[in-house]
Amino acid sequence: MTDTHQDFGEQFVRLALEIDKHLPGYVDAYFGPEDWKAQVQQDGKQPLSDLTDQINQLAKEISQADGLDAQRRDYLDRHLTAMRMSVRVLSGEKVSLADEAEALYDVRPEWQEEANFEEAHKLLEEVLPSEGSLRERMLAWKKSLEIPVEKAKELLPIIIKKLRTLTDQKFKLPEGESFTVEFVSDQPWSAYNWYLGNSKSRIDINTDIPMRVSSLPDLIAHEGYPGHHTDLSIKEQKLVDELRYYEFTVALLKAPSAVIAEGIATSALETALTDEEREEWLREEILPYAGMSHIDPKRILAVSKAGRKMSRVSGNAAFMLHDQGKSEEEIIQYLQRYNLSSEKEARQTIRFISNPLDRSYTFNYDVGYDLLEELFQGVDRDIYFKRLIEEPVTPSQIRQWIQNERHLN
Ligand SMILES: [Zn+2]
């Protein structure tokens, strides 16, 4: 007989819902039993010190439990560490950004040397058409890829269909899963997957940010197939429906699972397609459909690879804003210089990192991507990607897998 320790999941969920009353949005998605949520919402807020006691008590029970799956134990334990930090911050304790991120995400973010961004600039110098400063050329390049929202709406079903088929072949999607796409505005993010439970999601796309033909496949891979929607619907099926691990009925943003979720999402397109396949898809189908056959898909891929090196600039911006007391104007200049952003894009980045829920979230995209890239080196990528979407995983668990693989080879 297997002991599934169902009550650990329930206690975990109730704690998360309690913290959400102090910090609305703490629970990004909940799709567990309705009555747990209703019961928690009926009562007033519990004092933060009581929540800390309950977190500590649950952590103790978990550490002493017999027969608990090791990965599940690690997941619960590290998520309770994250909860403890959230309660400390809510109590008004001043914590450095790196300390906060380490406790929340099980990864310590670091300041990135500007030399890394300059290296990306060198790559861009080679691939972008010459005329004007590099930043002007980058902005002109991005502008040349813009398409009207109406065109994006026509293209999306084509992109969704292909990525869904590829994802199903590789990872077997749950029966009856699907998502809808909505167009919204005035949001700090460019797109968002809202997981609704029962294998359903709603993906919101922010139309304040120009639609680019080159970013649509990445957007759908990130939010949908095989990114967030795939990850959450398969975890619901495998971990909740089959194993009754109820802690997987809450999606939390300030937790190690967010690093895994963003790692999966940022490497989703590369998991679905090789560079050659992606280039061919752009050349044969997407660009002609958008009436943009004159654009070289090779250049799209080269710019996007260089862009990945530059994306870490936003982590530095978070350090400047929260730890170094730099002014908004200084940070905008910095983003324009090193990320080659427009002023509007730089302001959008500041808006994202200023939000208290997101202040350390910005690191997750890059640390998640880097951690998974390290894991995928020299192993069957699909086997590990499947484990990431089917099992309880934390960054520590991934570091352990990497060590085991190195030991074997
Ligand atoms: Zn994401």
Side-chain angles (χ1 to χ4, degrees):
M1 203 189 101
T2 52
D3 183 358
T4 58
H5 296 284
Q6 281 185 33
D7 54 329
F8 288 158
E10 178 175 351
Q11 288 183 66
F12 181 91
V13 166
R14 286 179 184 273
L15 276 168
L17 293 168
E18 286 292 347
I19 298 173
D20 189 74
K21 287 197 283 187
H22 289 270
L23 183 62
Y26 180 77
V27 170
D28 189 50
Y30 174 62
F31 40 96
E34 289 281 337
D35 54 330
W36 293 358
K37 191 173 178 178
Q39 284 161 13
V40 170
Q41 280 175 339
Q42 241 168 38
D43 305 321
K45 289 179 192 172
Q46 290 188 29
L48 292 168
S49 57
D50 288 7
L51 293 180
T52 301
D53 292 345
Q54 290 169 38
I55 293 166
N56 291 339
Q57 180 58 32
L58 180 56
K60 193 174 152 203
E61 285 170 28
I62 286 164
S63 73
Q64 294 169 347
D66 287 328
L68 191 62
D69 170 77
Q71 268 180 239
R72 187 182 183 204
R73 189 195 302 271
D74 167 71
Y75 182 94
L76 284 166
D77 183 51
R78 291 189 192 281
H79 281 71
L80 290 171
T81 298
M83 279 187 183
R84 219 177 271 125
M85 174 54 85
S86 289
V87 173
R88 280 173 62 188
V89 173
L90 276 169
S91 311
E93 212 177 298
K94 290 274 168 279
V95 186
S96 79
L97 190 60
D99 286 348
E100 176 189 305
E102 187 174 20
L104 293 181
Y105 299 118
D106 186 24
V107 180
R108 190 170 183 88
E110 285 168 358
W111 176 266
Q112 298 293 315
E113 293 304 325
E114 283 83 7
N116 297 323
F117 312 139
E118 281 157 3
E119 212 175 291
H121 294 177
K122 262 190 217 136
L123 292 173
L124 289 171
E125 286 285 357
E126 286 165 29
V127 293
L128 285 177
S130 54
E131 267 311 293
S133 74
L134 187 60
R135 182 167 160 269
E136 282 163 2
R137 285 149 60 191
M138 184 67 170
L139 295 177
W141 165 251
K142 288 200 266 191
K143 188 106 197 129
S144 75
L145 297 168
E146 284 179 13
I147 52 170
V149 174
E150 286 315 309
K151 198 74 192 167
K153 283 183 182 169
E154 286 172 33
L155 257 168
L156 282 174
I158 297 172
I159 292 171
I160 291 169
K161 187 164 175 244
K162 173 152 179 139
L163 289 174
R164 184 179 191 279
T165 305
L166 289 168
T167 299
D168 193 39
Q169 281 165 359
K170 280 178 188 271
F171 307 115
K172 187 81 191 82
L173 287 162
E175 243 1 78
E177 63 68 39
S178 66
F179 60 77
T180 57
V181 177
E182 305 277 339
F183 292 83
V184 299
S185 60
D186 195 25
Q187 294 296 336
W189 33 258
S190 51
Y192 210 101
N193 177 71
W194 302 97
Y195 191 65
L196 310 170
N198 291 316
S199 308
K200 301 277 189 274
S201 293
R202 187 186 84 230
I203 295 175
D204 283 350
I205 299 180
N206 183 3
T207 53
D208 292 344
I209 295 173
M211 301 275 135
R212 289 187 206 112
V213 68
S214 52
S215 41
L216 291 178
D218 199 36
L219 188 155
I220 293 301
H222 184 117
E223 307 294 344
Y225 304 126
H228 293 314
H229 166 74
T230 303
D231 179 26
L232 286 161
S233 56
I234 289 182
K235 282 205 170 80
E236 184 183 24
Q237 179 192 34
K238 299 277 175 193
L239 299 176
V240 180
D241 297 347
E242 290 175 17
L243 294 171
R244 309 272 157 206
Y245 290 0
Y246 283 105
E247 61 274 24
F248 286 92
T249 59
V250 276
L252 301 178
L253 295 180
K254 297 163 91 70
S257 49
V259 179
I260 308 303
E262 295 305 347
I264 287 170
T266 49
S267 58
L269 188 58
E270 289 169 62
T271 299
L273 293 160
T274 63
D275 284 358
E276 293 73 30
E277 288 165 341
R278 206 170 134 197
E279 199 184 305
E280 190 189 311
W281 188 24
L282 283 163
R283 180 180 291 113
E284 305 295 329
E285 190 168 29
I286 298 176
L287 290 169
Y289 195 93
M292 292 175 147
S293 298
H294 57 284
I295 289 173
D296 179 4
K298 266 196 188 351
R299 186 177 276 165
I300 291 181
L301 262 73
V303 174
S304 121
K305 280 202 193 315
R308 180 156 290 297
K309 283 185 198 286
M310 288 194 305
S311 64
R312 287 159 187 73
V313 178
S314 59
N316 282 6
F319 279 122
M320 291 167 82
L321 183 70
H322 297 293
D323 279 0
Q324 300 171 5
K326 294 274 162 57
S327 73
E328 248 182 50
E329 287 316 307
E330 271 175 287
I331 302 169
I332 286 171
Q333 298 261 327
Y334 187 86
L335 286 163
Q336 289 182 317
R337 171 165 180 197
Y338 288 110
N339 203 21
L340 308 177
S341 310
S342 68
E343 194 185 323
K344 194 177 166 200
E345 289 167 331
R347 290 198 186 277
Q348 180 80 1
T349 302
I350 298 222
R351 185 174 168 191
F352 185 72
I353 60 177
S354 303
N355 181 334
L357 265 179
D358 296 330
R359 98 172 199 156
S360 50
Y361 196 87
T362 190
F363 296 107
N364 291 341
Y365 302 98
D366 295 312
V367 296
Y369 181 85
D370 290 348
L371 194 59
L372 264 52
E373 274 310 297
E374 198 185 336
L375 171 67
F376 295 148
Q377 295 308 312
V379 301
D380 185 322
R381 182 184 181 110
D382 289 353
I383 288 178
Y384 271 106
F385 197 89
K386 193 169 157 62
R387 292 193 69 180
L388 291 164
I389 55 180
E390 287 187 351
E391 298 178 13
V393 184
T394 61
S396 288
Q397 178 63 55
I398 295 182
R399 291 190 286 265
Q400 190 61 53
W401 284 344
I402 293 171
Q403 235 177 37
N404 295 348
E405 283 291 344
R406 290 223 175 108
H407 195 70
L408 285 172
N409 294 322

